[in-house]
Amino acid sequence: MDLLSNLNLDVLPEQQTRINPNVSIALQNNPNINLGFDACCTCAKLLTNNSKVDVCCKGCKRVWYCSKECRRLDSEISSNTSTNFGEENEEEQMGGGHSAIICALLRLCSLDEDVENLKNTTDADNKLTKEERESAIIRIISEFESYPATLANVIMDAPCFEPILDKFKKHKKQRRGKKDRQIHLDVQQQQHQQQSNNNKTLTIHIIGASKESELWGDFHLEHPSGNAFGAYSEALSNLTSTHKGLKSIRLAFIGPNCPIENMNIVKYINDDDDDNYNKKSRLSSSSSSCKLILETHCHNYEAKYLQQNEGGNGKHSSTSSSSSPLSKPDIVVFFNPGFTCPDYDWSDALKACQNRDKAIKTPFLVTTNTEMEAIADMQYLHSHGYIDSLPASVADIVNEGMPIMSDNHNHHHEDNNNTIEYNQQNTMFFGENVYAGSRVRQSGNMANDLYCKNKYIFGGLFSHGGTGSSISIG
């Protein structure tokens, strides 16, 4: 991430809000307080919401305290905290507090929000310099691009998706005599015709999708692809170029926060001009073209809805072309779902993913904002029986000291100087996402904590069902 290198940082300092014993007690008594927002970031005393009494950081104006003394204490370097982020300490780790680095990153959060909210207003109106506005636009765009970039590239990299994608690779066929070829065609011609569409279509369900995130909402800043649909088309071009048997890709965005009016948009990969659709449609049978279908469904992802909308039974409205039934997924994707968040209930969606096909385990991809969220989500899926195994390093954390398995049980895949860990059968993977954007955001409940959307990824195969399992690796 160029932003971090400019600040001489190797990694984003994510969890920097200090949790001292007094703060810990306050959080236990009232887990709904938000440190640095409605409670002092240093001592957790509830704030008055009166700017004449409460004190905020003078630099970023995004972290609040009950007094100047608490503000001073939060900015001091703790004796228990290394000045180098990521460096190990023998003493118990605690957050670094409101350091100069955190303050600088939070100022960037404000700039990004100003540019995003003001959108097309002039630099003079929003009091930003041209350089500040251009840098903010780059960061904002990178976050939106991380959705299609992650989806398209990770499914090409992770071994658990290989069996799905292999069927779209064109393999050289042995030469046949003319008579043999004719007999072969006569016997299988009807079967091939009936199955050709299914065999040549990759269907991906993006579960829990929202208009404002995966679909970019009302994003109107400068972007070469023009909109989210153009970006997904561009990102998937490498996949279609290496899998020549792929004739169509269907992306189904499903979630209660999708656009109320369901969309069904057809593009062609590498086709930057929607006006060419009619011309391209006449060439849809060409072996060199791959159709991209993007559809939205404003509904919870659950078995009953999926069954009602499969095989042409569903009724859909469309803003672009005639709607299609919701096809069974080859792959399912969750962007920042928060499986352990008490505000959401993912049980119906996860059960639907488990029970899609009793003969085949459904491969999945999950992104999270932080490493801790990724570990918590994997632990949740495993303890509830949705997945059969964990990467070794995660099992070690979850099982409180289980030794890491040797390399013959787990291996690592180097990708752009980042390490992705796979388990023995390559059914699970976990690591930092090199396709995440550079925009840094502020946590909503601990003011000194930072994150980047889609910063970590994990995935594998859903199990066939169960109510829970013991820790297993590979």
Side-chain angles (χ1 to χ4, degrees):
M1 186 186 294
D2 293 337
L3 172 62
L4 297 183
S5 62
N6 291 338
L7 294 172
N8 296 318
L9 294 173
D10 293 328
V11 295
L12 179 69
E14 292 178 346
Q15 287 124 15
Q16 296 300 313
T17 302
R18 292 172 176 165
I19 309 297
N20 58 46
N22 290 335
V23 172
S24 181
I25 293 173
L27 289 172
Q28 290 176 8
N29 293 333
N30 184 3
N32 294 321
I33 63 175
N34 300 306
L35 295 177
F37 299 104
D38 58 15
C40 177
C41 200
T42 300
C43 69
K45 177 182 177 181
L46 294 180
L47 299 176
T48 63
N49 294 322
N50 185 336
S51 60
K52 293 182 179 181
V53 178
D54 300 334
V55 178
C56 74
C57 170
K58 292 181 179 180
C60 66
K61 297 180 176 60
R62 296 179 70 96
V63 184
W64 288 83
Y65 307 90
C66 67
S67 66
K68 292 181 180 180
E69 177 63 13
C70 276
R71 181 175 66 186
R72 182 187 66 79
L73 290 173
D74 196 30
S75 63
E76 288 184 346
I77 297 176
S78 170
S79 60
N80 289 338
T81 305
S82 170
T83 56
N84 296 320
F85 295 113
E87 183 177 311
E88 295 293 335
N89 270 307
E90 293 182 2
E91 299 183 54
E92 183 179 354
Q93 289 286 318
M94 63 184 298
H98 196 68
S99 66
I101 290 293
I102 297 298
C103 191
L105 290 169
L106 288 175
R107 287 198 296 271
L108 292 181
C109 292
S110 295
L111 289 175
D112 294 347
E113 290 171 3
D114 288 343
V115 171
E116 188 173 40
N117 293 333
L118 293 169
K119 294 177 182 174
N120 295 323
T121 57
T122 64
D123 295 335
D125 291 337
N126 59 40
K127 298 180 181 180
L128 297 176
T129 67
K130 180 180 179 181
E131 182 179 359
E132 286 176 333
R133 186 175 190 274
E134 289 177 348
S135 297
I137 289 173
I138 290 173
R139 292 191 295 270
I140 294 169
I141 288 175
S142 73
E143 180 181 270
F144 281 113
E145 285 181 331
S146 70
Y147 292 96
T150 299
L151 183 150
N153 288 285
V154 173
I155 64 174
M156 293 182 65
D157 294 339
C160 62
F161 302 116
E162 287 180 4
I164 296 294
L165 299 182
D166 277 348
K167 66 182 182 181
F168 300 115
K169 289 183 177 179
K170 282 193 172 182
H171 303 286
K172 291 184 179 180
K173 297 180 180 180
Q174 294 183 351
R175 293 180 60 86
R176 295 173 179 265
K178 183 176 181 181
K179 183 176 181 179
D180 291 338
R181 289 199 303 271
Q182 186 60 49
I183 293 174
H184 179 76
L185 289 173
D186 289 343
V187 171
Q188 296 191 347
Q189 184 178 25
Q190 185 175 1
Q191 179 182 357
H192 284 179
Q193 287 177 344
Q194 292 174 345
Q195 297 180 349
S196 61
N197 289 336
N198 291 334
N199 291 340
K200 297 178 180 179
T201 298
L202 173 66
T203 300
I204 303 175
H205 287 184
I206 298 89
I207 302 173
S210 71
K211 176 184 176 182
E212 298 302 322
S213 297
E214 292 87 344
L215 298 170
W216 296 18
D218 296 322
F219 179 56
H220 295 305
L221 298 174
E222 297 87 344
H223 188 272
S225 296
N227 53 43
F229 305 114
Y232 281 101
S233 174
E234 181 181 333
L236 289 164
S237 61
N238 286 338
L239 176 63
T240 58
S241 67
T242 55
H243 295 75
K244 299 296 186 181
L246 192 56
K247 294 305 177 184
S248 64
I249 300 175
R250 183 181 294 274
L251 300 182
F253 298 85
I254 308 164
N257 293 319
C258 280
I260 295 176
E261 185 177 7
N262 296 339
M263 297 185 293
N264 192 295
I265 296 175
V266 177
K267 291 181 65 72
Y268 278 80
I269 304 295
N270 295 325
D271 176 19
D272 296 325
D273 185 359
D274 286 334
D275 292 337
N276 288 333
Y277 171 72
N278 290 332
K279 179 178 70 175
K280 286 284 186 178
S281 65
R282 294 194 298 271
L283 303 175
S284 60
S285 61
S286 170
S287 61
S288 62
S289 62
C290 181
K291 183 166 61 175
L292 177 62
I293 305 165
L294 301 106
E295 59 189 65
T296 65
H297 300 262
C298 184
H299 203 281
N300 288 325
Y301 196 86
E302 55 192 12
K304 183 178 180 180
Y305 177 77
L306 298 175
Q307 293 168 359
Q308 290 174 345
N309 286 272
E310 284 177 357
N313 294 326
K315 296 181 180 180
H316 307 278
S317 60
S318 172
T319 62
S320 178
S321 61
S322 59
S323 294
S324 301
L326 186 58
S327 303
K328 289 185 177 180
D330 297 298
I331 298 169
V332 295
V333 178
F334 299 81
F335 285 108
N336 308 308
F339 291 134
T340 61
C341 179
D343 295 334
Y344 309 118
D345 183 0
W346 287 98
S347 57
D348 288 341
L350 293 169
K351 290 176 183 177
C353 293
Q354 271 190 316
N355 300 322
R356 299 302 294 150
D357 193 329
K358 290 297 184 181
I360 301 173
K361 293 184 177 182
T362 304
F364 69 92
L365 162 66
V366 177
T367 74
T368 65
N369 296 331
T370 68
E371 185 177 23
M372 287 185 64
E373 288 178 9
I375 294 171
D377 281 353
M378 281 186 278
Q379 182 181 8
Y380 172 85
L381 293 177
H382 189 267
S383 64
H384 287 76
Y386 296 120
I387 58 177
D388 294 325
S389 63
L390 293 170
S393 61
V394 179
D396 181 51
I397 295 171
V398 171
N399 214 35
E400 298 180 352
M402 176 185 289
I404 301 284
M405 303 298 288
S406 59
D407 287 340
N408 64 334
H409 285 81
N410 291 268
H411 70 279
H412 295 80
H413 169 63
E414 297 294 335
D415 189 357
N416 295 354
N417 298 320
N418 285 268
T419 300
I420 304 295
E421 180 189 0
Y422 298 103
N423 68 356
Q424 185 179 12
Q425 284 83 20
N426 292 338
T427 56
M428 282 292 296
F429 63 90
F430 166 55
E432 190 171 346
N433 181 16
V434 298
Y435 306 105
S438 60
R439 182 178 183 178
V440 176
R441 289 181 176 267
Q442 181 182 29
S443 166
N445 53 17
M446 293 192 178
N448 285 324
D449 286 10
L450 306 172
Y451 68 91
C452 290
K453 285 191 174 183
N454 305 318
K455 186 63 175 177
Y456 286 86
I457 54 174
F458 71 90
L461 302 176
F462 278 114
S463 68
H464 283 320
T467 58
S469 57
S470 59
I471 297 295
S472 60
I473 307 176

